[in-house]
Amino acid sequence: VTANSQGIDVTGIVTATSFKGAATNLTNIPAANITGTLPAIDGSNLTNVGGGLQSVQVFTTVGTATYTKPSGITKVRIYCTGGGAGGGAATNSWNAGGGGGAGGTSIKLLDVTSISSVTVTVGAAGAGAAAGGNNRGAGGGTSSFGSHCTGTGGEGGGFGWNDDSIYGNGGVGTGGDINLDGGDGGSNGGGDIQDESASGAVGGASYWGGGGQNGGSVSSVNAQNYGGKPGRAYGSGGGGADDHSGTNYGAGAGKAGVVYVEEYA
């Protein structure tokens, strides 16, 4: 121990029960030895501290767009869902249309530290089959977030029992940490209460929710009731149509896909 005008200089280890004064030069203090209430901390100069979810960007317009990363974002979680397919038309009173398949979904956590922008594609909805025999629904389009993850569109619903594939298969997700198949469309619904034949089938459900309702499920015969209903949730399939006494009705269209991006600091 050496005395000086400011106090003492100590070489070695000092054991103390308390400390008074500025602690600006104290280092390597074990966390287990720090007790008591800490004062408020000004975090304006802190770096490399995760800030959690900061913002989201949602892409719902069919076609291509550009995702631009905001300042300070280091990771994104992407939900990529393909477009839902349209339902099928009825062939005759006994052969109602099948439901359209839903788009597949991929979910991926991506480090974007070295990425500034990405091309985003939102898959289109498949059109419902027009009224008339032997008409299938159109398939949904593929959604993607660059080359990182993809959700393909669903398959269009078929046109009756004599179609080799009455229901539309769901699309698939690829490239994600989790890849989900879209729900298949139904292959003819319950009985048409007018004549006890098969009614149209419900569209397939996507990650986001259910598809369009089937046609021919109510007693009042008209295009609104006997036509298939459009998909409800992003990427869901359209409902299949029914036929009543030789009058065909159109099927429901699917719902377009979506690319949903959560942004984290």
Side-chain angles (χ1 to χ4, degrees), residues 21-251:
T24 54
N25 293 320
L26 294 178
T27 60
N28 300 320
I29 301 175
N33 294 337
I34 299 176
T35 62
T37 303
L38 294 174
I41 298 175
D42 180 1
S44 60
N45 293 319
L46 294 176
T47 60
N48 299 320
V49 178
L53 178 65
Q54 303 297 302
S55 51
V56 299
Q57 294 191 44
V58 185
F59 298 85
T60 59
T61 301
V62 171
T64 58
T66 300
Y67 167 80
T68 301
K69 181 186 71 174
S71 175
I73 298 302
T74 61
K75 293 181 176 63
V76 296
R77 179 177 285 115
I78 310 143
Y79 299 78
C80 185
T81 301
T91 302
N92 52 49
S93 295
W94 298 99
N95 289 315
T105 297
S106 58
I107 303 172
K108 186 179 184 71
L109 181 64
L110 179 66
D111 187 331
V112 291
T113 303
S114 60
I115 296 174
S116 59
S117 63
V118 176
T119 298
V120 174
T121 301
V122 175
N134 300 343
N135 290 329
R136 290 189 66 92
T142 295
S143 297
S144 61
F145 187 84
S147 60
H148 305 288
C149 55
T150 299
T152 65
E155 177 189 34
F159 50 79
W161 293 338
N162 56 343
D163 189 354
D164 289 338
S165 180
I166 178 62
Y167 61 87
N169 293 296
V172 298
T174 58
D177 301 313
I178 298 175
N179 298 304
L180 306 173
D181 293 345
D184 296 337
S187 56
N188 293 126
D192 176 343
I193 63 176
Q194 284 285 343
D195 55 20
E196 298 183 357
S197 66
S199 65
V202 175
S206 73
Y207 171 83
W208 305 97
Q213 186 57 266
N214 56 311
S217 58
V218 294
S219 58
S220 180
V221 180
N222 55 45
Q224 180 179 358
N225 292 332
Y226 270 59
K229 309 306 184 289
R232 306 285 288 181
Y234 291 122
S236 64
D242 197 4
D243 173 289
H244 181 71
S245 299
T247 300
N248 295 130
Y249 296 93

